[in-house]
Amino acid sequence: MVTGAAGSKLDLTAKITALPASLANTFSPGLDAAGTISANVTVKGDPAAPTVAFDTTWQGAAISQTRSAGLTAFTVTAKGQLARNVLSIDANARGGGLSLNAAGTVGITGNRALNIKVNGELPFAALGAKLAAQGLDLKGNARFDIAVTGAAASPSISGRISTSGATLTAIRQNLTIKNLAATVELTGKQARIASLTGALSGGGTVSASGTIGIAPESGFPADIKITLKNAVYTDAKVVAAKLSGDLTVTGSLVRGPTLGGTIRIPRADITIPQKLPGTLAQIDIKHRHPPRDVAVQAAKIKENRPGTKTGKDTGGLQLDLTIIAPRQIFVRGRGLDAELGGKIILTGPSSAPSATGGFKMQRGRLSIIGRRLDFTDGEISFGGNLTPALNLVATSTVEATTINVIVAGLANNPQVTFTSSPSLPQDEVMALLIFGRNSADLSPVQIAQLADAVSTLAGGQSNSLFNKLRQGLGVDDLDVGTDENGKSNVSVGKYLNKRTYLQLQQNVDDNTSSAIINLDIGKGVKLKGEAGSDGSTAGGVFFEKEY
């Protein structure tokens, strides 16, 4: 509704109530505006240069850009005046986690000079789409108090942005930083990270400082230094490591920055899986007769998938890292216990990094059914991806026969082979190594034990003969061993309670037996008593302490 007079002088008043914002979509189809707009507008003065005052409210405000940023509908209020080619405005927006206040002036002629101050709080969900493209997820809110001055074509931004208690997750790298706190100072064309600290979910801390360019169309060039202290990384499968280091992030944050520097690993544990699935196969799922839009989307995803023949590694974090671990790289599992040290270099995109270098054997051993072998040579190398390749050799001599046990292959599925000089079949080598006799001379129990050892080394399922017997008998431990004379013995053990362990031993060859009870008193003190079928007894008090 419009009232007032118009002539040589203007004195008009317009009132708008609950006008659908969707009307704007007719003129801008991609806007996808929603909500209702109410306003009071006055126009006064000379028709050639009128003074316009306004007071507007947009309820349930939303457009396509705010929806894609993850913001829910909010309310916008704005008061201001247009006079002498200068727009003065005082506005605010509330809702969906957003809190924004803006006040200042904007020139509408010439270089369109800006002088605006903005403050408030913005949820990081508004950056979700851009961060997701980089494989990142950021939760929390940013507080800001900034000023925008200068020409509209090249504004100068100053002020401060801060956050606390935020959580950043690098999805591809399986890294999460909690309790993230940061203060960023804006100085014209550059953002300076005054402080940034956080705690990694697995342990350790991270801190950073540096600068990021914020000039329009600059691509946000970065020069950032990052410090890691006792940070813990795990891929939740094979590798767990504690690390420290000095890193850098350089280059355009939009087009793909480079993460470089040196990481020092005081300790890392590479665990060889004890059991590998024996029947797991790749499931080939195809969408038959997909709709056209689904087929087009699938083609685009395949075309841009990094690491494929047709894919393009466009953008994304690039790596140029040197990882140094002079010792305490432990590899354990399937009877293997080894320590190594060395250096590797990571390069290429973080979505499909390339690793070169490796770790040399410091010391190590391999245990097979009570037989211990010391490694004489070995290394862990990386020939491309992040799954380490093992090449470890243990040597032993039994009755003038030199036996080599070789653990080789990828750490998630290594192969164990046996060689000898003079050359013997692998089953003969294992029989000689474990029992000191030919396979033809083994008892049925020893043959079953040998088969169980082969299954364990191969990473077989937990359904071996001894596992089935142990489960069927309802005991905690079932073991078959041999003494120094090659005689077989069977041992069965069970916890009667959390402190009392009862063990029964039977010598298969001479039919003698014994019962052993272990009582854990606490604080490292243990009592042990033994009674044999031949009437012999023994007892003792033991103290244990781990260093």
Side-chain angles (χ1 to χ4, degrees):
M1 181 178 67
V2 179
T3 60
S8 58
K9 295 292 184 179
L10 299 176
D11 188 6
L12 300 173
T13 299
K15 185 174 183 179
I16 301 172
T17 303
L19 179 69
S22 58
L23 292 176
N25 300 336
T26 304
F27 307 97
S28 179
L31 184 63
D32 196 19
T36 59
I37 299 174
S38 299
N40 293 308
V41 181
T42 61
V43 182
K44 296 183 178 181
D46 191 334
T51 297
V52 181
F54 57 90
D55 184 350
T56 64
T57 301
W58 184 0
Q59 298 278 0
I63 58 176
S64 59
Q65 289 86 347
T66 60
R67 291 190 188 91
S68 63
L71 295 177
T72 58
F74 49 93
T75 299
V76 179
T77 62
K79 297 179 180 180
Q81 176 178 279
L82 175 62
R84 299 182 181 86
N85 295 322
V86 175
L87 173 65
S88 301
I89 190 170
D90 186 354
N92 65 71
R94 299 284 188 276
L98 174 67
S99 174
L100 182 147
N101 302 295
T105 61
V106 179
I108 61 173
T109 60
N111 65 358
R112 293 177 293 170
L114 304 174
N115 186 8
I116 301 174
K117 292 185 177 181
V118 183
N119 62 72
E121 189 167 306
L122 176 71
F124 288 128
L127 308 175
K130 291 185 179 295
L131 292 173
Q134 302 290 333
L136 303 174
D137 178 63
L138 183 59
K139 290 181 172 61
N141 297 287
R143 298 176 296 276
F144 53 91
D145 186 359
I146 59 179
V148 183
T149 58
S154 57
S156 176
I157 304 175
S158 59
R160 173 175 292 190
I161 301 173
S162 63
T163 187
S164 60
T167 299
L168 174 65
T169 301
I171 299 170
R172 300 187 186 109
Q173 290 72 41
N174 194 35
L175 288 174
T176 298
I177 302 175
K178 298 181 178 180
N179 298 321
L180 187 62
T183 298
V184 179
E185 297 176 350
L186 307 177
T187 56
K189 306 295 183 182
Q190 194 176 73
R192 185 178 71 86
I193 302 174
S195 66
L196 188 153
T197 59
L200 277 78
S201 59
T205 62
V206 59
S207 61
S209 62
T211 61
I212 302 173
I214 57 175
E217 307 301 326
S218 68
F220 301 99
D223 184 7
I224 302 172
K225 295 181 179 179
I226 302 173
T227 300
L228 300 173
K229 290 185 178 180
N230 299 320
V232 176
Y233 169 78
T234 176
D235 66 355
K237 295 178 182 178
V238 176
V239 179
K242 179 178 286 188
L243 47 91
S244 299
D246 299 303
L247 308 176
T248 61
V249 177
T250 56
S252 169
L253 296 182
V254 173
R255 292 184 287 271
T258 297
L259 175 63
T262 300
I263 295 176
R264 295 170 294 278
I265 303 180
R267 180 188 177 98
D269 291 274
I270 300 174
T271 302
I272 300 173
Q274 295 295 328
K275 302 297 177 185
L276 297 174
T279 58
L280 185 62
Q282 180 177 353
I283 301 176
D284 187 12
I285 299 176
K286 295 182 179 180
H287 190 169
R288 300 185 64 182
H289 311 299
R292 183 179 181 279
D293 56 343
V294 174
V296 170
Q297 182 185 46
K300 289 182 178 179
I301 292 173
K302 182 176 181 181
E303 178 184 353
N304 292 292
R305 184 178 295 145
T308 62
K309 291 182 179 180
T310 59
K312 304 183 291 293
D313 288 326
T314 56
L317 182 67
Q318 301 292 313
L319 301 179
D320 185 13
L321 294 172
T322 299
I323 301 176
I324 300 174
R327 60 186 65 85
Q328 292 195 42
I329 303 298
F330 296 102
V331 182
R332 296 187 175 98
R334 297 196 213 168
L336 176 66
D337 192 341
E339 180 187 354
L340 304 97
K343 179 175 73 173
I344 63 172
I345 297 174
L346 294 178
T347 57
S350 60
S351 58
S354 176
T356 58
F359 300 104
K360 282 286 188 180
M361 176 73 69
Q362 304 290 322
R363 62 187 62 83
R365 60 185 180 272
L366 179 66
S367 299
I368 306 175
I369 317 181
R371 172 81 68 168
R372 170 174 164 167
L373 295 87
D374 292 326
F375 283 104
T376 57
D377 190 20
E379 65 178 358
I380 298 178
S381 60
F382 295 82
N385 60 35
L386 291 183
T387 303
L390 309 180
N391 184 19
L392 311 174
V393 180
T395 302
S396 181
T397 300
V398 181
E399 296 184 357
T401 300
T402 301
I403 299 173
N404 295 318
V405 182
I406 303 170
V407 182
L410 298 180
N412 57 3
N413 187 20
Q415 303 299 312
V416 181
T417 58
F418 298 83
T419 64
S420 66
S421 179
S423 180
L424 296 171
Q426 289 209 25
D427 57 344
E428 290 289 345
V429 174
M430 288 193 67
L432 187 62
L433 174 65
I434 298 172
F435 300 107
R437 62 178 70 175
N438 296 326
S439 60
D441 299 328
L442 299 181
S443 68
V445 173
Q446 290 173 328
I447 292 174
Q449 191 177 12
L450 187 63
D452 196 57
V454 172
S455 176
T456 299
L457 291 172
Q461 297 290 311
S462 55
N463 56 0
S464 68
L465 171 63
F466 288 97
N467 276 323
K468 288 182 177 179
L469 287 174
R470 179 180 57 79
Q471 294 169 4
L473 293 172
V475 297
D476 296 310
D477 183 53
L478 175 62
D479 186 34
V480 177
T482 57
D483 59 20
E484 63 275 7
N485 299 317
K487 295 182 178 181
S488 300
N489 58 73
V490 180
S491 173
V492 177
K494 182 174 179 61
Y495 279 95
L496 303 181
N497 54 51
K498 66 179 182 180
R499 292 184 179 273
T500 308
Y501 183 75
L502 177 63
Q503 184 179 7
L504 302 177
Q505 291 183 343
Q506 175 72 44
N507 192 308
V508 177
D509 295 318
D510 58 16
N511 201 32
T512 59
S513 61
S514 62
I516 304 170
I517 189 167
N518 294 271
L519 180 61
D520 188 352
I521 301 298
K523 296 185 178 180
V525 179
K526 295 183 179 181
L527 300 180
K528 183 176 181 178
E530 180 178 351
S533 60
D534 57 359
S536 62
T537 59
V541 180
F542 301 88
F543 176 74
E544 295 180 356
K545 183 175 179 62
E546 294 185 359
Y547 295 92

